Amino acid sequence: QVQLAESGGGLVQAGGSLRLSCAASVRTFSAYTIAWFCQAPGKERAFVAAISRSGMSQYATDYADSAKGRFTISRDNAKNTMYLQMYSLKPEDTAVYSCAANVPRIYDPSKLRDSNQYDYWGQGTQVTVSS
């Protein structure tokens, strides 16, 4: 089974930054759609960002409204790793952040935010933002 491992979480003050990483044990990482989700205590899991191949040598990204302008998702296919760079962190960003991946049959941007579309999940990394 595909293995995903997150790292980079921690405690940071409001306005600070963190970079989360997700390492994947796969053979064809470039073909995978990868995403970040978060889950705060007492709340449902929520979409944060995703990056997916949208065409030949092209990738498309999508962000939750709360993440736009503050977070950046990226991938290094040579290293089988994806990242979430987080700036201007707010206390409400506090949550467990998990990476997810799947191999879509075709590119469908309408499904990037649907957690049910992802077959593989990491264990998560804790992000805590103090005020």
Side-chain angles (χ1 to χ4, degrees):
Q1 187 173 342
V2 173
Q3 302 291 320
L4 303 176
E6 303 96 335
S7 62
L11 175 64
V12 63
Q13 291 188 0
S17 63
L18 287 171
R19 189 182 75 161
L20 308 184
S21 300
C22 178
S25 298
V26 296
R27 294 293 188 185
T28 55
F29 182 73
S30 62
Y32 281 75
T33 294
I34 54 176
W36 289 94
F37 291 82
C38 67
Q39 187 166 24
K43 300 179 67 176
E44 295 183 354
R45 184 169 56 194
F47 172 79
V48 178
I51 182 166
S52 179
R53 178 183 287 179
S54 59
M56 185 177 295
S57 301
Q58 291 183 303
Y59 288 87
T61 59
D62 191 26
Y63 296 92
D65 289 342
S66 61
K68 290 180 180 178
R70 299 191 300 125
F71 298 175
T72 301
I73 189 170
S74 62
R75 63 196 297 166
D76 186 336
N77 291 333
K79 297 182 178 180
N80 283 12
T81 303
M82 59 175 169
Y83 306 94
L84 184 69
Q85 180 65 59
M86 311 165 73
Y87 292 105
S88 301
L89 284 163
K90 305 173 182 179
E92 50 263 45
D93 294 321
T94 296
V96 174
Y97 285 75
S98 300
C99 59
N102 77 319
V103 180
R105 189 169 185 176
I106 59 173
Y107 174 63
D108 187 351
S110 69
K111 296 183 178 179
L112 292 178
R113 301 187 177 197
D114 184 0
S115 63
N116 293 323
Q117 300 302 309
Y118 295 90
D119 298 316
Y120 310 106
W121 292 81
Q123 297 301 306
T125 184
Q126 177 70 47
V127 171
T128 302
V129 184
S130 64
S131 59

